[in-house]
């Protein structure tokens, strides 16, 4: 396999018949051979994440470079050295880089696809480390031949202890095929999409019956995973109908892609229908547009991933300081001097604005001593905790201004020495909270802490996906996200599922010519994601009951975009 490397020094390899004694750990370089699994980042072990965080140099197979890179450190003792040149990197180049970095006293992580114990190149590199006395360790990973069938819903053994044999079709000789063909063991075959039919032919020629069940899985454990069920004799026709077999020109990105084929009764379609837990997630493979920044959308994106979706955060709003900062400055000084009984935060941006003003004046969370703090929303509360402030009041029900008012106590001159509330907000915030607090007897300093302006347009590729139907769904969390997304990127294609957080947002979407498909039962981003998942699940069931293949919305693009009469 071809690794991703940071550099390719022409350091000669040292060969020795007798391994040298290993040097004391820490005195010189150290190499961690790390299994990164088949592709799902969640399959990394805790030890793998720990080793990556300590690495000076990362050398990774291209297939798992993105999986491990996010856990690697940078700029601690020395800059982390990585690169993503998949075309020029070779196994020999990786070995050279590993050895050169280890000789220089670096902590090296050599990340391989699957498990290093099943990787011949990694084994050779371990021998080179042993020959030079360089300490190394092995962090096992999920073997591709085991992990992919598990994600495809294909058990390899039954209650009777079915024999399981693994074979790499790319290196197997005639003896391997003959032995496998003569047995009734479940065969797990590592091959590529353009050679899987030939591998099936080898098994039939070796004695397996043509009607033996077969599953073929590509891009296993990722949201691009796709599995076909057939028999040894019908797999060619199945792949031909799916339009994935190589043609004279070869299907781009398909033909030479690695696949795992499972041959035997355990891969029967009837069982996969019941056990395909991964590909049957309600939003499996859906590209979902989230018009928020990564920071704002963190928990929402995690929730969407749990449903099998691929979230893409596209900010539609940019945050800028208020045009006249004097009002904010007076409010912060009043907070320190005891002007307020309460301060209420309705967004993460409000927390950020106050924190920045605190830092400007040399203040910290201790300035909140004696002041009650309210917060709307889980992310706002987390931002306060990170700041060092634990909110005294968070809505017990709906996470909104209305929900906060339901729990907010009325002003009582006996128990409340001060009757004033500091409310740092956006310049376009509604008056619901202010009016409600005044009705409860409080005086409110409604202060513009930040301005919201339309964000810059997203990259051209993202704009084309929005207008061309590349996204399966878009989540609108406010009327402003509708207006701003249409303004900076254009109107979503009519195949894109439109999900809105509430009636007001839905009305704005309809005013912009969009058909609203999903409406959240509550004004909560997490309820909105749940509603989209339910929509996806119902859509999936309807397709199955109709005997149709389950397709994502973007796979049914009409020629014209969404339009309302």
């Amino acid at each position: 396999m071809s690794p991703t490397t940071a550099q390719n020094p022409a350091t000669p390899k040292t060969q020795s018949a007798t391994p040298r004694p290993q040097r004391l750990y820490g005195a010189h370089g150290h190499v961690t051979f790390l299994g990164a699994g088949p592709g799902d980042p969640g399959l990394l072990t805790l030890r793998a994440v720990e080793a990556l965080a300590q690495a000076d140099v990362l050398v990774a197979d291209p297939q798992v470079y993105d999986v491990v890179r996010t856990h690697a450190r940078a700029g601690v003792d020395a800059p982390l050295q990585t690169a993503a040149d998949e075309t020029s990197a070779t196994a020999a180049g990786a070995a050279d880089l590993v050895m050169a970095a280890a000789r220089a006293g670096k902590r090296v992580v050599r990340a391989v696809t699957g498990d290093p114990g099943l990787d011949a190149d990694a084994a050779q590199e371990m021998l080179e480390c042993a020959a030079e006395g360089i300490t190394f360790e092995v962090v096992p990973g999920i073997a591709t031949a085991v992990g992919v069938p598990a994600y495809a819903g294909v058990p390899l053994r039954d209650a009777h202890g079915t024999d399981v044999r693994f074979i790499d079709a790319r290196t197997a000789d005639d003896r391997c095929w003959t032995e496998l063909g003569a047995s009734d063991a479940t065969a797990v075959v590592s091959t590529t999409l353009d050679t899987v039919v030939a591998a099936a032919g080898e098994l039939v020629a070796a004695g397996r019956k043509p009607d033996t069940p077969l599953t073929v899985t590509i891009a296993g454990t990722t949201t691009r995973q796709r599995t076909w069920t057939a028999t040894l004799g019908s797999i060619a026709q199945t792949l031909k109908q799916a339009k994935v077999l190589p043609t004279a020109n070869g299907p781009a990105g398909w033909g030479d892609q690695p696949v795992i084929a499972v041959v035997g009764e355990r891969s029967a379609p009837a069982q996969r229908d019941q056990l395909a837990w991964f590909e049957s997630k309600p939003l499996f493979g859906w590209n979902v547009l989230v018009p928020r920044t990564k920071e704002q959308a963190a928990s929402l994106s995690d929730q969407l991933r749990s449903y099998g979706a691929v979230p893409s955060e596209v900010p539609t709003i940019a945050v800028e300081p208020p045009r006249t900062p004097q009002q904010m400055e007076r409010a912060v000084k009043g907070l320190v001097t005891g002007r307020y009984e309460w301060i209420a935060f309705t967004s993460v941006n409000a927390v950020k604005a106050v924190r920045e003003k605190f830092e400007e004046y040399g203040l910290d969370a201790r300035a909140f001593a004696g002041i009650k703090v309210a917060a709307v929303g889980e992310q706002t509360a987390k931002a306060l905790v990170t700041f060092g402030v634990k909110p005294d009041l968070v809505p017990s029900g709906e996470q909104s201004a209305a929900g906060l008012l339901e729990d907010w106590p009325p002003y009582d001159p006996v128990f409340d020495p001060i009757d004033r509330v500091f409310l740092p907000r956006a310049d376009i915030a509604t008056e619901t909270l202010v009016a409600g607090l005044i009705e409860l007897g409080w005086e409110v300093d409604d202060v513009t802490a930040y301005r919201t302006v339309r964000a810059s347009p997203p990259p051209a590729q993202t704009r084309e996906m929005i207008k061309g139907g590349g996204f399966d769904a878009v989540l609108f969390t406010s009327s402003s996200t509708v207006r701003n997304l249409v303004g900076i990127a254009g109107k979503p294609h009519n195949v894109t599922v439109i999900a809105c957080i509430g009636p007001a947002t839905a009305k704005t979407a309809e005013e912009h010519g969009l058909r609203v498909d999903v409406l959240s039962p509550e004004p909560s981003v997490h309820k909105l994601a749940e509603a989209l998942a339910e929509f996806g699940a119902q859509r999936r069931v309807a397709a199955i009951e109709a005997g149709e293949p389950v397709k994502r919305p973007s796979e049914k693009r009409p020629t014209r975009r969404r339009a309302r009469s």
Side-chain angles (χ1 to χ4, degrees), residues 221-483:
T221 78
T222 74
T223 51
R224 294 178 292 107
Q225 177 176 304
R226 191 171 176 184
T227 301
W228 296 274
T229 57
T231 64
L232 289 175
S234 67
I235 185 59
Q237 183 64 23
T238 298
L239 296 180
K240 182 178 180 181
Q241 290 176 348
K243 299 180 180 180
V244 295
L245 273 183
T247 62
N249 297 323
W254 283 97
D256 61 349
Q257 294 298 300
V259 300
I260 295 295
V262 182
V263 181
E265 296 303 321
R266 293 297 87 199
S267 62
Q271 291 182 317
R272 225 186 75 78
D273 289 344
Q274 302 172 60
L275 302 177
W277 63 274
F278 186 54
E279 292 175 55
S280 62
K281 288 188 174 186
L283 301 178
F284 182 76
W286 283 37
N287 289 309
V288 179
L289 176 63
V290 182
R292 290 180 153 202
T293 63
K294 287 186 179 296
E295 293 77 13
Q296 292 175 317
S299 63
L300 176 58
S301 293
D302 287 342
Q303 183 180 0
L304 289 169
R305 289 188 189 96
S306 74
Y307 300 139
V310 184
S312 295
E313 297 93 353
V314 176
T316 60
I317 295 173
V319 175
E320 295 184 357
R323 287 192 175 90
T324 55
Q326 292 81 4
Q327 187 187 27
M328 184 68 170
E329 291 170 356
R330 286 195 299 270
V332 170
K333 290 178 181 177
L335 188 149
V336 176
T337 57
R339 176 178 171 83
Y340 302 107
E341 181 77 9
W342 282 90
I343 180 171
F345 294 96
T346 58
S347 70
V348 172
N349 287 326
V351 177
K352 182 180 179 183
V354 171
R355 184 170 185 173
E356 289 176 348
K357 189 61 66 173
F358 268 36
E359 292 171 351
E360 184 180 326
Y361 288 128
L363 301 172
D364 56 29
R366 289 173 292 185
F368 286 102
I371 300 174
K372 300 184 184 73
V373 180
V376 175
E378 175 187 354
Q379 294 304 312
T380 304
K382 285 183 177 179
L384 282 168
V385 171
T386 301
F387 188 15
V389 180
K390 183 179 180 180
D392 299 283
L393 176 62
V394 176
S396 58
E398 178 183 310
Q399 294 299 306
S400 65
L404 185 62
L405 285 171
E406 289 183 4
D407 293 337
W408 196 289
Y411 171 66
D412 188 328
V414 176
F415 296 102
D416 300 313
I418 304 170
D419 65 351
R420 193 167 294 274
V421 178
F422 175 20
L423 184 57
R425 302 194 300 163
D427 57 333
I428 61 171
T430 64
E431 299 303 315
T432 303
L433 185 54
V434 175
L437 289 172
I438 292 174
E439 189 175 335
L440 289 170
W442 296 93
E443 295 289 331
V444 182
D445 281 357
D446 185 11
V447 178
T448 298
Y450 60 94
R451 291 184 302 120
T452 55
V453 298
R454 182 175 290 178
S456 301
Q461 181 181 3
T462 302
R463 297 198 302 271
E464 182 53 38
M465 284 185 66
I466 293 172
K467 293 183 289 186
F471 284 105
D472 298 288
V474 57
L475 298 183
F476 286 121
T477 55
S478 67
S479 292
S480 60
T481 59
V482 178
R483 291 189 292 266

Side-chain angles (χ1 to χ4, degrees), residues 117-193:
L118 298 175
D119 189 294
D121 292 330
Q124 182 59 39
E125 291 168 28
M126 294 178 203
L127 288 172
E128 293 191 36
C129 288
E132 293 203 23
I134 295 173
T135 61
F136 66 90
E137 65 176 325
V138 178
V139 178
I142 303 297
T144 300
V146 174
V148 171
Y151 270 57
V154 182
L156 301 182
R157 303 190 73 180
D158 60 13
H160 302 291
T162 306
D163 189 17
V164 181
R165 299 189 183 184
F166 299 89
I167 183 171
D168 189 334
R170 292 158 292 192
T171 58
D173 55 22
D174 291 341
R175 183 179 60 83
C176 292
W177 292 116
T178 300
E179 291 179 354
L180 195 57
S183 74
D184 60 357
T186 295
V188 183
V189 184
S190 301
T191 183
T192 59
L193 193 60

Side-chain angles (χ1 to χ4, degrees), residues 102-114:
R103 293 186 192 108
K106 303 293 185 181
R107 289 169 294 200
V108 185
V109 165
R110 173 70 172 98
V112 303
T113 306

